[in-house]
Amino acid sequence: TMNKQIIIIFILQVALCIFCGIFYAVWFSSNKDDTDYLGWEESGDGDENGLVVFFLQMGTWMLLFANFVPISLIVTLEVVKFIQAIFIVWDEEVCDKPRDLPAKVQSSNLNEEIGQVEYVFSDKTGTLTCNIMEYKKMSINGISYGNDNLSGENLAAKKGITNVAFEDATFEKDMKNEANSKFLKLLALCHTVLVETKKGEERKFGDTLKYQASSPDELALVNIAQYCGVRFLGVSDAAIMSLDFFGTTEKYEILEVLEFSSARKRMSIILRDHQADNIILYCKGADSIIVPRLRSGQDQLVHTTNEHLDEYAKTGLRTLLVAQKVISLEEYAEWKKGEEKAQEDVNNREARLEEVYDQIERGMDLIGATAIEDRLQDQVGATIASLKEAGIKVWVLTGD
């Protein structure tokens, strides 16, 4: 605003100088013969033409009007902005109280720059939220499990299991029924998590395992399975996954891992079940991606699960659908040929692979849904409300 005002003043100053220069040139040409007492002839100015007189006088008036933009005004404004910066540093409302860190003003223009902000673009995970995922609720076979708040001590944390804040007495009673055990097995197998091991450490059967995951979401899913008694034990060099399934060790051979991506919005793993001697595909992903890939005849289950997802989403929980599909040996062998051909296509490999992956991920059975809490940072709601009250529009950008 100040720059615009200075420009306007300067334009007025130039216009006034031009007017004065023209007026003087006209007056001089009309009156130079009657003003000999001013000594034009002695100084030589009387021989100058009107254009030279105009430019000389315009420059003279520019010097006379130089105080139109007083230096003292600019200095005063800088002093005011400096004092405003001191008040920002002293303001307790913008102080990081847990660490006792005041705001730092790096530029005297900060105050007026803040006043020009109209839009704020913010990331969600880790900015508005704490990026500490805690497993809260689940929906299995049309039944929702999990409480909003723990009634007492976090038993998972007591056992050394992180990223779990789940409690439901009904689920604990029905944990080993077919639907629930199938759900837990999927969570314990459909991932790319690694077991954390320390050199020289002796581990006993039943000890709480520590995992390394690419995302806290995956860690929460594997840890809820461990908390419920279905523990992922690791992967051998021969690509064999070991599972402690309620005290019984089971082995699964990894045939394929269909990685998660922002375009796919799902992750799948194809395993050979050494116990049942069959091939099974486990998949987890966004509901908008999983639902169209389910086999027909599950309308009621899908409807009920979607209602649970809506309830979870209203409380700010991150949701996923999980599904599975039993694959015959013939179907897998045929699909594998198509996958190998797609891998050989140098020019269009990614598109061909996406088509092949989509083919095998069709006709799945819905197993359930998960809900994970990523708690908001302190004062997020009040901050957004204050920004909106100030007329600032807030846009939240997510990975979806």
Side-chain angles (χ1 to χ4, degrees):
T1 302
M2 177 183 168
N3 291 336
K4 290 181 179 179
Q5 292 174 350
I6 292 175
I7 291 172
I8 292 171
I9 292 172
F10 180 73
I11 293 173
L12 290 174
Q13 179 181 349
V14 172
L16 185 59
C17 290
I18 292 173
F19 170 77
C20 292
I22 294 173
F23 183 86
Y24 183 86
V26 172
W27 177 88
F28 178 77
S29 62
S30 301
N31 296 280
K32 65 178 181 179
D33 295 334
D34 301 329
T35 54
D36 296 337
Y37 56 87
L38 294 177
W40 301 123
E41 293 182 359
E42 295 179 4
S43 63
D45 293 340
D47 297 331
E48 295 174 348
N49 60 38
L51 186 62
V52 174
V53 171
F54 164 73
F55 280 110
L56 288 174
Q57 292 302 315
M58 191 182 74
T60 302
W61 285 109
M62 286 290 288
L63 292 174
L64 292 173
F65 291 149
N67 59 352
F68 262 48
V69 186
I71 299 299
S72 59
L73 174 61
I74 299 175
V75 173
T76 302
L77 288 174
E78 288 297 325
V79 171
V80 169
K81 288 190 282 186
F82 176 74
I83 295 173
Q84 288 174 339
I86 294 176
F87 280 115
I88 293 175
V89 175
W90 288 348
D91 191 349
E92 294 183 358
E93 295 297 325
V94 292
C95 174
D96 186 354
K97 294 181 180 178
R99 294 184 295 174
D100 193 25
L101 289 176
K104 287 186 177 181
V105 179
Q106 306 290 350
S107 170
S108 61
N109 295 326
L110 178 64
N111 202 26
E112 61 186 70
E113 289 174 355
I114 290 176
Q116 297 173 14
V117 174
E118 187 175 356
Y119 293 91
V120 171
F121 292 88
S122 172
D123 182 29
K124 179 169 67 71
T125 303
T127 304
L128 299 181
T129 66
C130 299
N131 200 25
I132 302 175
M133 310 298 177
E134 289 189 330
Y135 193 97
K136 297 286 287 187
K137 295 183 179 182
M138 64 182 81
S139 174
I140 307 173
N141 200 26
I143 302 174
S144 179
Y145 299 101
N147 302 323
D148 291 326
N149 298 299
L150 299 178
S151 59
E153 187 179 5
N154 189 336
L155 298 179
K158 191 175 181 180
K159 293 180 180 180
I161 299 175
T162 61
N163 301 85
V164 175
F166 176 81
E167 180 184 74
D168 193 300
T170 304
F171 180 78
E172 292 176 6
K173 293 178 183 178
D174 302 333
M175 192 184 300
K176 295 185 180 181
N177 67 29
E178 183 180 357
N180 292 350
S181 59
K182 188 183 295 185
F183 178 87
L184 294 173
K185 182 179 288 188
L186 186 153
L187 297 186
L189 292 172
C190 185
H191 56 77
T192 55
V193 170
L194 300 175
V195 178
E196 186 178 298
T197 56
K198 295 181 180 179
K199 189 175 181 180
E201 180 183 28
E202 293 186 7
R203 196 168 60 210
K204 298 178 181 178
F205 191 82
D207 287 350
T208 298
L209 299 176
K210 300 291 185 182
Y211 300 112
Q212 293 179 352
S214 58
S215 70
D217 301 75
E218 275 208 327
L219 188 60
L221 296 176
V222 177
N223 272 337
I224 184 62
Q226 178 178 205
Y227 172 67
C228 295
V230 182
R231 301 190 310 146
F232 168 62
L233 300 177
V235 181
S236 69
D237 294 336
I240 301 297
M241 297 183 81
S242 299
L243 191 69
D244 173 12
F245 187 67
F246 297 117
T248 302
T249 302
E250 296 182 355
K251 302 287 185 180
Y252 297 86
E253 180 184 353
I254 302 175
L255 300 178
E256 299 288 339
V257 176
L258 313 184
E259 295 284 354
F260 175 88
S261 71
S262 57
R264 282 172 43 79
K265 296 184 181 179
R266 64 190 184 277
M267 177 262 177
S268 300
I269 189 169
I270 302 176
L271 304 171
R272 182 189 295 275
D273 185 349
H274 285 210
Q275 291 68 230
D277 195 26
N278 62 9
I279 296 175
I280 189 166
L281 176 143
Y282 290 126
C283 182
K284 62 184 180 185
D287 56 306
S288 59
I289 299 297
I290 300 296
V291 171
R293 290 169 170 77
L294 299 175
R295 67 171 177 82
S296 58
Q298 304 179 81
D299 295 344
Q300 184 57 46
L301 177 59
V302 171
H303 176 72
T304 305
T305 304
N306 277 331
E307 289 182 343
H308 293 158
L309 289 179
D310 291 339
E311 292 176 10
Y312 302 156
K314 286 177 182 177
T315 58
L317 302 181
R318 301 159 64 97
T319 59
L320 288 176
L321 284 183
V322 294
Q324 72 173 40
K325 174 185 178 182
V326 177
I327 305 171
S328 65
L329 296 176
E330 294 78 12
E331 181 183 359
Y332 176 74
E334 186 67 25
W335 176 85
K336 186 62 179 176
K337 291 179 182 177
E339 195 255 355
E340 289 174 351
K341 289 182 180 179
Q343 291 282 9
E344 294 170 357
D345 190 344
V346 178
N347 298 322
N348 202 24
R349 180 182 298 159
E350 290 187 7
R352 290 280 303 278
L353 283 174
E354 180 54 37
E355 291 178 6
V356 173
Y357 291 167
D358 183 66
Q359 177 187 348
I360 199 68
E361 292 171 329
R362 294 280 177 176
M364 296 185 291
D365 294 317
L366 179 62
I367 302 300
T370 66
I372 296 174
E373 180 185 43
D374 188 6
R375 188 168 56 85
L376 289 174
Q377 301 268 15
D378 295 338
Q379 303 295 322
V380 166
T383 301
I384 294 176
S386 298
L387 290 173
K388 293 181 69 176
E389 187 177 345
I392 298 174
K393 301 173 182 63
V394 180
W395 288 71
V396 178
L397 311 177
T398 71
D400 299 328

